Amino acid sequence: VSNNHYVLLFNCKCPKLFQTHSILADRYTYCKRSLLFFGILIQCITPLHTIIFMIYFDTESDSESFPFLFVDNCFIEEKNLMNIQEQIEQNIITAIKGGLGEALVEKLFRKKILISGGAGFLGSWFCKVAIAHGAEVLCVDPLVASTKANIKNLIEHPNFTFVNQSIETVDLPQRPADMVVHMASIASPPLYQQLPKTTYSAGVKGTERLLEYCSNHNSTFLFTSTSEVYGNPADDDIPTSEDCASRVHSYGVRACYDISKMTGETLCYMYKDEVDSRIARIFNTYGPGIDTKSTSQYGRALIKFIVQALHNAPITIYGTGQQTRSFCYITDQLVGLYKLLLVDNVDGPVNIGNDNEITILELAQTIKEVAQSDSEIELDAQPAYDLTHDPNRRCPDLRKAGKIFDYTPQVPLEYGLKETIEWTRANELAVV
Ligand code: UDP
């Protein structure tokens, strides 16, 4: 403007993103505060000089001159996408460490752990936590319901080995593992309905093979079972405790998954004099990285709704949306699984999840709100798979886990959804 006056222009490329994205919003506020401080400092040193700060919003200009990705009229710095996911990953590892406490975390140091299904959603977080605490991990995964992208940051780690094969056929290591964690499974109803034999085989043959291995090598065994073993519990059995009798159909579209998990539990019982087995009955779990086939029809309800909300597409509810589930955030689930594996003297199956039961309609509304989406909620949407025997209600009784290893889920749905949505938003932006 003149020799003594300067105008600093700040081009804010994506106001909407700054507003809706909490991490970026924090940085934006930090940036504004720094500028103010800088301005006051200059004024103090040279009062004759005036600096005018201008922040202008620009969603029209082309992106060539800036190191930005252009997505749906939004600009986002490529590096920020990574930072967002790194930050969320760090939050998760820190929360799990805090939930477990030093004494349990130390039990992982230098332990050899064989993890089947280690490239899946739950499995990959399990691997990351083990590696972060000094364990040596052999991850076996055929990448049927998972992707190598989940473990991309682990591949180069000297304590991590990945074998792309199914647990039923892989050569099991000669060296004894201290712990074996069997997570290989297809939990998504549309996907296991397409791959019933693979699903059944992982739960039955895979479990039997690993129990034999544990018996020969004196390894502790963690079997990840499911709330599906309860089938469709009566209202009187909600919340559902471990001794509740099963109401599973042995002949039907969900049987390949449900019966294979029930058989896996029976196998643990059959080997109980030879193998120290821990059985987790996992209830619906979600978090960053959930089901990377999320944009297809294979995604489970929660991640499908998130992707639909991010694209402002209709959120597809099957039926009235009055069926319920209880959604557990990944940190609470992993704290439960690790405690179950690492504490002494556990007998029989243990429910792990969150006991906050909500309807699927409430889930859709919450996702829409947290994602600040304009999506419509579509009731009675056309199902993408066979809904026969879809359970009406699902909610865990967590008293057994509470009694044995002081388990109480900590994470409210809104927080877990916010983290999952931010992670997914970054993925979606990076993919476009
Ligand atoms: N569901 C829905 N819309 C979808 C996908 C699923 O309303 O696009 C419903 C499904 O019928 C079930 C609930 O959401 O009642 C939870 O489904 P999820 O995919 O999480 O699998 P499940 O909990 O049954 O294993």
Side-chain angles (χ1 to χ4, degrees):
V1 178
S2 79
N3 283 348
N4 292 343
H5 296 74
Y6 306 95
V7 177
L8 296 185
L9 285 178
F10 294 90
N11 183 338
C12 179
K13 285 284 183 182
C14 184
K16 189 164 180 217
L17 200 73
F18 277 128
Q19 282 156 20
T20 56
H21 203 295
S22 67
I23 291 174
L24 291 184
D26 288 349
R27 283 187 194 167
Y28 180 52
T29 312
Y30 174 76
C31 189
K32 273 199 310 189
R33 282 197 197 126
S34 310
L35 288 175
L36 190 66
F37 174 75
F38 178 64
I40 293 169
L41 194 73
I42 296 285
Q43 288 280 310
C44 294
I45 300 169
T46 59
L48 294 178
H49 289 59
T50 305
I51 298 181
I52 301 167
F53 294 103
M54 287 178 65
I55 298 182
Y56 72 94
F57 297 111
D58 175 4
T59 56
E60 298 300 325
S61 66
D62 81 56
S63 59
E64 292 302 304
S65 53
F66 289 89
F68 285 87
L69 292 173
F70 177 63
V71 186
D72 282 350
N73 216 18
C74 275
F75 294 85
I76 180 164
E77 198 179 352
E78 192 168 7
K79 218 167 120 249
N80 278 343
L81 294 176
M82 295 301 299
N83 290 345
I84 290 160
Q85 295 198 332
E86 277 164 21
Q87 179 65 57
I88 293 174
E89 181 163 333
Q90 204 44 57
N91 294 346
I92 290 176
I93 304 285
T94 309
I96 294 168
K97 186 177 179 190
L100 290 175
E102 285 298 330
L104 284 187
V105 161
E106 273 171 22
K107 286 192 176 187
L108 290 171
F109 190 63
R110 299 224 165 125
K111 289 294 184 313
K112 289 179 215 39
I113 312 182
L114 165 58
I115 304 178
S116 80
F121 162 54
L122 277 180
S124 56
W125 284 114
F126 203 95
C127 290
K128 284 174 197 167
V129 172
I131 291 289
H133 298 112
E136 212 179 290
V137 171
L138 170 61
C139 164
V140 178
D141 197 308
L143 302 180
V144 174
S146 54
T147 162
K148 220 171 162 181
N150 285 343
I151 47 168
K152 66 176 190 296
N153 295 340
L154 295 176
I155 291 286
E156 300 295 324
H157 197 286
N159 287 347
F160 184 80
T161 309
F162 171 64
V163 180
N164 180 0
Q165 219 174 315
S166 95
I167 200 65
E168 297 100 286
T169 55
V170 72
D171 286 335
L172 291 172
Q174 298 294 322
R175 283 169 79 201
D178 300 293
M179 302 165 200
V180 172
V181 180
H182 186 22
M183 292 188 153
S185 186
I186 302 176
S188 166
L191 195 53
Y192 66 62
Q193 286 183 21
Q194 290 214 348
L195 299 168
K197 289 179 188 163
T198 314
T199 307
Y200 186 78
S201 173
V204 178
K205 284 190 206 151
T207 308
E208 189 164 15
R209 209 165 170 232
L210 287 175
L211 279 164
E212 260 314 299
Y213 175 88
C214 290
S215 173
N216 294 334
H217 294 94
N218 202 20
S219 324
T220 307
F221 185 54
L222 172 63
F223 177 60
T224 55
S225 184
T226 168
S227 54
E228 281 279 315
V229 301
Y230 299 116
N232 187 13
D235 284 350
D236 288 350
D237 287 323
I238 297 286
T240 312
S241 66
E242 289 82 352
D243 55 8
C244 175
S246 169
R247 301 213 311 178
V248 159
H249 291 265
S250 56
Y251 190 82
V253 288
R254 295 179 93 101
C256 61
Y257 181 64
D258 303 3
I259 300 290
S260 77
K261 290 294 190 182
M262 292 175 87
T263 309
E265 291 193 10
T266 308
L267 284 163
C268 292
Y269 184 82
M270 286 160 57
Y271 276 78
K272 88 181 173 68
D273 295 334
E274 299 163 53
V275 178
D276 177 7
S277 289
R278 313 296 169 90
I279 303 169
R281 288 187 178 158
I282 297 179
F283 283 66
N284 291 59
T285 300
Y286 71 101
I290 182 172
D291 191 352
T292 44
K293 294 188 168 76
S294 61
T295 47
S296 75
Q297 74 272 33
Y298 298 125
R300 301 186 72 183
L302 184 141
I303 187 65
K304 212 170 144 187
F305 291 175
I306 288 179
V307 174
Q308 288 167 336
L310 288 177
H311 288 278
N312 290 320
I315 299 182
T316 54
I317 290 193
Y318 302 156
T320 59
Q322 292 311 304
Q323 65 271 45
T324 70
R325 296 292 187 269
S326 312
F327 294 95
C328 180
Y329 188 57
I330 185 71
T331 52
D332 284 331
Q333 183 59 244
L334 281 205
V335 167
L337 291 177
Y338 266 109
K339 282 189 170 179
L340 179 60
L341 176 63
L342 297 172
V343 299
D344 298 325
N345 302 323
V346 184
D347 188 30
V350 181
N351 290 339
I352 301 184
N354 189 307
D355 50 5
N356 173 31
E357 186 188 14
I358 62 164
T359 67
I360 290 299
L361 178 59
E362 283 164 342
L363 173 72
Q365 286 162 339
T366 313
I367 288 173
K368 188 179 154 168
E369 213 173 284
V370 178
Q372 301 189 345
S373 164
D374 296 327
S375 290
E376 279 175 24
I377 295 181
E378 182 188 341
L379 299 179
D380 289 319
Q382 177 68 32
Y385 60 95
D386 189 338
L387 286 179
T388 312
H389 305 144
D390 188 20
N392 199 32
R393 290 181 70 184
R394 200 184 271 158
C395 178
D397 179 331
L398 298 173
R399 280 176 297 179
K400 185 171 178 185
K403 201 164 143 202
I404 305 177
F405 44 80
D406 192 22
Y407 178 72
T408 318
Q410 304 289 324
V411 179
L413 184 65
E414 283 73 12
Y415 174 82
L417 285 178
K418 188 174 94 29
E419 296 284 277
T420 312
I421 287 169
E422 290 196 355
W423 176 290
T424 312
R425 197 196 305 269
N427 257 358
E428 297 277 305
L429 291 174
V431 162
V432 176

